[in-house]
Amino acid sequence: MIDFLFNYETLRIVWWMLLGILLIGFAVTDGFDMGVGALLPFVAKTDIERRVAINTIGPVWEGNQVWFVLGGGAIFAAWPALYALSFSGFYLAMFLVLFAMILRPVAFKYRSKREDARWRSNWDWALFIGGAVPALVFGVAVGNALKGVPFHFSTDLRPSYEGTLFGLLNPVALYCGLVSLSMLVMHGAAWLAFKAEGPVADRARIIGGKAALAAAVLFAGGGVLVWLGLLGGYEVTSAIVWDGPSNPLGKTVIANANGWLRNFYATPALCLVPVLGIVAPLLAAAGFRARREGLTFLASKLGIFCIIATVGLAMFPIILPSSTNPGHSLAVFDASSSRATLRNMLIATVIFLPLVLAYTAWVYSVLWGKVSEASLRGAGSSAY
Amino acid sequence: MTSPLLVELSRLQFALTAMYHFLFVPLTLGLSIMLAMMETVYVMTGRTIWRDMVKFWGVLFGINFALGVATGLTMEFQFGMNWAYYSHYVGDVFGAPLAIEGLMAFFLEATFVGLFFFGWERLSARAHLVVTWLVALGTNFSALWILIANGWMQNPVGSVFNPDTMRMEVTDFVAVIFNPVAQAKFVHTVSAGYVCGAVFVLGVSAFYMLRGRHVDLAKRSFVIASAFGIASSLSVIVLGDESGYAITDNQKMKLAAMEAMWETEPAPASFTAFGIPSMSDRTTHFAVHIPWVMGLIGTRSIDKEIPGIFELVHKAEGRIRNGLTAYDALEKLKVNHGDTAARASFDATSKDLGYALLLKRYIEDPRLANDDQIKQAAWSTVPEVPAIFFTFRLMVLCAFLLVAVFALSLWHTMRETQAPRWLLRMALIAMPLPWIAAEVGWFVAEFGRQPWIIEGTLPTFLATSELGIPDLLITILGFTVVYGVLAVIEVRLMLQAIAKGPAVGADIALPVGDRTRIRLAAVR
């Protein structure tokens, strides 16, 4: 059993799934913080309304953001070539994300330190940028990953990226950016409907319903783009050696317009995932209308899960295809860490992740209850 | 070949963002522990002034914490952004502590820091105390894992180069965790953080006492800060980083550079209190020596020799020649993975592969290097001696001044006399010292590591991403502007919060016996 668990093939597939879980964990936790940030100017007009919106996430955004940081660390540890290539390749896009995300912690903490209206409105814009910009850019990055990214390796495995920032901003990738933006706005609205009271929650319900519909339609449209071959597609043509050394130069890959559909043709049951990726947001849209906040939030989570999982399943076993040298694409079987590192990291994850989930659940239970204008007036300095 | 300008700009950006991040981290480390100590006293004695103290210092902690978190985001991603070849080359080893830091430390501190601020009304006093301690524990765990990562850069234990994957891979993760350099660095760095927290509390309290404001709160804080400060500042010095400097060639080179010690001296070596080191003359002018001291600091013995720069350069030359065999074998393996003769030759010499890579600065194929180039490469293992020599002395000077401030403060506390005004002013003026010491300490450790990014394994100039110069200029400018603006805002908010003072000014007279209790609490 241990042998099976710790053989290189199993470890690689487990870490491919954990990569997905990390991205999904980030999207369902920090995702609603970003959604609230992006919604802030639209759901809350007065200072007290904005405080209601901000304080729904005030005590928890910091823990949620660790999913982002952990994502960086875990990709570094388990998929070093992906870490090296994607962040240096998407250099300026990544800088934009960092710039936006640096504003967030400061904005949360500093906004309440002064009464001045200009001061507060400036920080509200910082929160808006900190929510909307990453939500958009992450989708653009996924769009580019689907299309293929222009890169190659030297024989020393030194990665070189041949594109530009503007190359990343192609129409198809921007379309994927809209998918992720609408998805996270839906999620932020679902959280606000669940956690806030009064006009903030009412406005969130209206906008959330529209965003959920948009997410469902845009995601379905993405499926059409893949089917038309506009979102790329690649296929490994050489024999896959699952326990070979992590060297991406030893295989052949070709561009294939149907490449991203192959797994679904081969295993039709997998189609359940993209179907749920459309149905769940529709369910969320209905939930907003029916004022079933708990259900809406769960549907929103399920939708995000399925949308992100669809991308992973479509590309498997490829993680990041190269458009200029397809053979150099990063794949599950040749871009991972060594067996020892994957094993060590799996042990660390099995110990710590349940612990993290347990105390996070405890913290949410302590903070249970709605945030309203009245509750904020009573909270004094224990609120933003 | 990456352009030298790109390498310099990448290093500049890393130094800027890391040193800026490290303005906030040590204060978080120190204050989180002090908050937990103050709150412990509150829970044990039930005296509300201690809760007021936790809340007041907590406000300042929060203002600082936000920037620590914000600038930490950059750190987590810029290895991949700016140091792509490094990330590929060592990610198998270096990435793991970073990921575990997230799992074990960041989640802990970040999840509970929200409750620390928002949970006062929702939690019992004991539960809130546990939350505060968990935040403190999280920040300290984070220091542990990041210094395990950094310690591996200084002393890459438990790993080997794999020619099939063209990167370093872990062979013994336990050795990486218990790396003696990492452990020495951890103790030294967290102690330095505690000093920052102590000086901060001491200085602000002194300010209140000088102005006669919030005196009860300030006096108690002053007691805690002086006791905590003397313990941590002595720990910084006694458990100094130098204990890790006898282990590897590069660490020895760093030690020799700190001392500007060109020739190996008979043990125990003398300490150069002052001098003007010259890189071109390869000697130290006007040197003032104190016998024995260096040998004691560097080796904790009187009979072990500390090698000088000339000896270490000579050794490096030998390792370069040995590394060339490894390089040649590796090139053969790249063409034919099954070449058993090449693999045997590589396995025998691979520990010196990094030394052969030093030649890439002078020639594309190191195997074609001539004797002059090999000598040049050997001398490139010497960091900028004068810079290391002087910054090290500045750090030590700051540390001793701080011990003096804490000792005097504690002396007056123990005698239960009011600290005199000159001492309070001194405590106020001393506030920047631990930050100066921490920043130059980082400089000594990391600039002193040059030319290596991973000692003996990968030279810095090979480790960058292949970016355009404009990309780097955009991000350096961008970070400078954002960080600059945020720094101004942060300092203003800190000053505003200090001027405003604690929310509840409990000006109750000290009852008899309370002082002793405070003292006990402070010692604990």
Side-chain angles (χ1 to χ4, degrees):
Chain A
M1 177 64 195
I2 290 289
D3 278 355
F4 169 74
L5 196 61
F6 286 158
N7 80 38
Y8 209 178
E9 174 174 357
T10 317
L11 282 168
R12 278 173 165 156
I13 292 180
V14 165
W15 271 100
W16 174 76
M17 289 191 229
L18 282 173
L19 176 64
I21 287 177
L22 279 170
L23 295 177
I24 291 167
F26 168 57
V28 298
T29 57
D30 209 26
F32 68 74
D33 303 329
M34 290 191 285
V36 170
L39 281 167
L40 193 61
F42 309 105
V43 294
K45 306 291 179 192
T46 64
D47 182 54
I48 185 82
E49 284 175 9
R50 295 210 164 152
R51 285 186 60 212
V52 168
I54 290 167
N55 277 287
T56 62
I57 49 175
V60 294
W61 69 269
E62 202 137 13
N64 294 341
Q65 183 179 258
V66 178
W67 285 95
F68 177 59
V69 179
L70 178 65
I75 293 174
F76 199 173
W79 307 99
L82 177 64
Y83 178 84
L85 245 174
S86 55
F87 296 135
S88 63
F90 298 164
Y91 187 73
L92 289 179
M94 196 56 208
F95 173 70
L96 199 62
V97 168
L98 284 180
F99 170 81
M101 293 198 70
I102 284 169
L103 293 179
R104 270 190 346 155
V106 204
F108 277 116
K109 201 77 210 171
Y110 293 178
R111 184 189 185 278
S112 59
K113 300 284 175 201
R114 285 190 192 163
E115 298 284 342
D116 180 47
R118 253 233 20 234
W119 171 267
R120 292 198 166 185
S121 123
N122 285 343
W123 288 121
D124 290 341
W125 281 109
L127 285 172
F128 171 74
I129 293 169
V133 169
L136 187 74
V137 175
F138 289 135
V140 172
V142 170
N144 279 293
L146 283 163
K147 263 176 70 83
V149 179
F151 71 82
H152 70 271
F153 287 100
S154 72
T155 54
D156 292 331
L157 291 187
R158 176 182 288 278
S160 297
Y161 175 79
E162 301 138 32
T164 61
L165 175 66
F166 297 104
L168 295 177
L169 301 177
N170 54 75
V172 181
L174 285 171
Y175 181 88
C176 295
L178 291 181
V179 177
S180 74
L181 182 64
S182 60
M183 175 176 103
L184 296 183
V185 166
M186 159 185 79
H187 201 45
W191 172 259
L192 283 174
F194 179 70
K195 192 77 183 168
E197 255 176 13
V200 174
D202 295 337
R203 291 188 198 115
R205 273 185 207 100
I206 295 166
I207 303 177
K210 289 176 185 160
L213 273 180
V217 171
L218 288 170
F219 177 62
V224 175
L225 288 182
V226 170
W227 191 67
L228 290 174
L230 289 173
L231 253 174
Y234 294 84
E235 178 186 353
V236 182
T237 48
S238 54
I240 293 175
V241 185
W242 278 99
D243 57 356
S246 278
N247 187 325
L249 304 186
K251 64 173 177 308
T252 50
V253 174
I254 55 161
N256 170 356
N258 276 321
W260 296 152
L261 297 173
R262 292 177 71 250
N263 289 334
F264 297 105
Y265 285 133
T267 319
L270 290 178
C271 293
L272 190 64
V273 179
V275 168
L276 278 176
I278 299 170
V279 172
L282 291 176
L283 200 65
F288 277 117
R289 195 164 289 224
R291 293 178 165 256
R292 299 282 301 275
E293 281 84 18
L295 187 77
T296 311
F297 193 55
L298 282 179
S300 174
K301 276 186 191 173
L302 179 68
I304 291 172
F305 185 100
C306 291
I307 289 172
I308 295 176
T310 300
V311 177
L313 289 174
M315 295 174 76
F316 185 86
I318 293 174
I319 296 178
L320 189 65
S322 164
S323 57
T324 46
N325 292 61
H328 293 194
S329 301
L330 304 183
V332 176
F333 54 87
D334 68 7
S336 78
S337 290
S338 65
R339 185 178 155 268
T341 294
L342 292 183
R343 183 198 56 207
N344 298 339
M345 289 303 302
L346 183 61
I347 294 171
T349 308
V350 167
I351 295 172
F352 289 111
L353 200 59
L355 216 58
V356 168
L357 295 175
Y359 61 64
T360 304
W362 180 74
V363 167
Y364 275 83
S365 75
V366 170
L367 297 163
W368 195 259
K370 298 250 183 195
V371 178
S372 64
E373 296 180 14
S375 78
L376 281 185
R377 288 199 183 90
S381 62
S382 299
Y384 287 140
Chain B
M1 186 66 212
T2 346
S3 86
L5 180 59
L6 176 67
V7 177
E8 292 308 308
L9 288 176
S10 302
R11 289 180 62 196
L12 176 67
Q13 175 162 313
F14 196 90
L16 274 176
T17 51
M19 291 175 89
Y20 187 78
H21 177 56
F22 211 68
L23 290 173
F24 309 101
V25 173
L27 187 57
T28 298
L29 280 170
L31 270 185
S32 64
I33 294 272
M34 295 185 74
L35 290 173
M37 295 199 305
M38 290 176 191
E39 196 169 339
T40 304
V41 179
Y42 162 61
V43 172
M44 290 178 72
T45 64
R47 300 177 63 85
T48 52
I49 183 158
W50 289 92
R51 190 190 55 202
D52 296 342
M53 281 161 67
V54 178
K55 285 194 174 181
F56 169 65
W57 295 110
V59 169
L60 302 177
F61 170 79
I63 294 171
N64 174 71
F65 189 80
L67 265 185
V69 170
T71 55
L73 291 170
T74 312
M75 302 311 298
E76 191 80 16
F77 292 92
Q78 74 170 333
F79 297 106
M81 290 169 68
N82 291 82
W83 303 92
Y85 193 57
Y86 169 88
S87 303
H88 151 74
Y89 207 86
V90 302
D92 194 72
V93 195
F94 186 85
L98 249 64
I100 298 177
E101 182 187 25
L103 267 173
M104 184 177 173
F106 288 152
F107 266 122
L108 196 62
E109 65 170 343
T111 306
F112 286 107
V113 82
L115 267 196
F116 172 79
F117 289 108
F118 288 76
W120 287 104
E121 281 85 20
R122 289 173 181 265
L123 294 169
S124 70
R126 276 171 194 279
H128 193 277
L129 175 65
V130 172
V131 165
T132 310
W133 272 109
L134 288 175
V135 173
L137 198 65
T139 61
N140 280 267
F141 275 152
S142 140
L144 173 68
W145 287 102
I146 198 64
L147 287 163
I148 286 175
N150 179 266
W152 186 79
M153 296 170 79
Q154 322 273 355
N155 179 26
V157 290
S159 52
V160 67
F161 187 88
N162 180 351
D164 294 331
T165 55
M166 297 299 289
R167 67 182 182 194
M168 297 297 289
E169 291 187 353
V170 76
T171 52
D172 183 354
F173 193 54
V174 175
V176 174
I177 296 174
F178 293 102
N179 182 352
V181 174
Q183 299 302 321
K185 277 184 166 296
F186 170 64
V187 178
H188 182 67
T189 309
V190 292
S191 302
Y194 299 164
V195 174
C196 283
V199 165
F200 183 79
V201 172
L202 195 79
V204 175
S205 304
F207 168 75
Y208 285 146
M209 286 153 83
L210 281 169
R211 292 284 173 91
R213 290 173 57 196
H214 318 297
V215 174
D216 269 2
L217 181 140
K219 269 188 180 167
R220 285 173 168 84
S221 304
F222 195 83
V223 174
I224 287 251
S226 52
F228 188 59
I230 192 81
S232 41
S233 58
L234 285 176
S235 146
V236 169
I237 294 174
V238 178
L239 304 171
D241 222 4
E242 305 83 45
S243 50
Y245 283 166
I247 295 170
T248 69
D249 286 350
N250 171 251
Q251 294 287 92
K252 285 177 190 158
M253 181 64 90
K254 205 188 286 180
L255 188 63
M258 277 154 55
E259 286 317 310
M261 199 170 93
W262 299 89
E263 307 282 354
T264 307
E265 290 178 34
S270 61
F271 176 79
T272 310
F274 182 76
I276 312 272
S278 161
M279 288 295 275
S280 50
D281 301 346
R282 292 180 184 167
T283 186
T284 303
H285 301 294
F286 315 112
V288 181
H289 296 291
I290 307 173
W292 279 49
V293 173
M294 195 54 229
L296 290 173
I297 298 175
T299 66
R300 303 282 195 272
S301 76
I302 54 165
D303 55 354
K304 286 193 202 119
E305 241 178 26
I306 297 180
I309 292 171
F310 281 105
E311 185 184 334
L312 289 165
V313 168
H314 181 71
K315 200 172 168 195
E317 195 181 319
R319 294 189 73 174
I320 292 172
R321 291 182 193 279
N322 199 34
L324 284 171
T325 313
Y327 188 88
D328 183 51
L330 183 60
E331 289 302 309
K332 286 181 183 146
L333 281 172
K334 275 203 291 198
V335 182
N336 175 13
H337 283 280
D339 186 337
T340 46
R343 195 164 287 258
S345 154
F346 182 79
D347 288 345
T349 49
S350 69
K351 66 173 192 339
D352 289 334
L353 174 66
Y355 280 83
L357 297 178
L358 287 172
L359 284 163
K360 288 221 175 204
R361 183 181 284 178
Y362 313 103
I363 186 163
E364 190 52 44
D365 186 347
R367 291 172 295 183
L368 305 176
N370 59 32
D371 270 2
D372 278 354
Q373 286 165 325
I374 290 178
K375 282 206 161 46
Q376 229 180 334
W379 271 98
S380 78
T381 60
V382 185
E384 276 295 316
V385 178
I388 309 290
F389 179 85
F390 288 114
T391 46
F392 175 70
R393 269 148 196 77
L394 179 57
M395 177 181 79
V396 172
L397 179 70
C398 290
F400 281 105
L401 286 174
L402 285 163
V403 170
V405 172
F406 286 126
L408 287 167
S409 307
L410 192 66
W411 167 253
H412 282 283
T413 312
M414 298 294 267
R415 292 179 52 206
E416 302 193 20
T417 51
Q418 166 77 44
R421 293 186 75 81
W422 62 264
L423 178 59
L424 296 176
R425 276 197 206 100
M426 215 168 105
L428 192 58
I429 295 167
M431 282 178 80
L433 288 179
W435 275 272
I436 295 172
E439 295 288 327
V440 295
W442 181 86
F443 179 86
V444 170
E446 308 308 319
F447 197 72
R449 193 191 60 229
Q450 302 305 324
W452 302 109
I453 192 161
I454 301 287
E455 109 114 274
T457 302
L458 184 65
T460 309
F461 68 87
L462 288 177
T464 59
S465 306
E466 309 229 316
L467 297 165
I469 302 294
D471 292 341
L472 259 296
L473 292 176
I474 290 171
T475 54
I476 290 176
L477 188 71
F479 279 123
T480 308
V481 170
V482 179
Y483 282 9
V485 170
L486 291 181
V488 172
I489 295 173
E490 200 255 5
V491 170
R492 280 194 184 166
L493 283 179
M494 278 275 189
L495 293 177
Q496 175 192 308
I498 292 168
K500 192 175 154 212
V504 189
D507 284 324
I508 328 149
L510 279 177
V512 187
D514 198 38
R515 286 169 191 220
T516 354
R517 212 182 302 156
I518 297 165
R519 221 160 57 202
L520 285 174
V523 171
R524 189 185 309 118

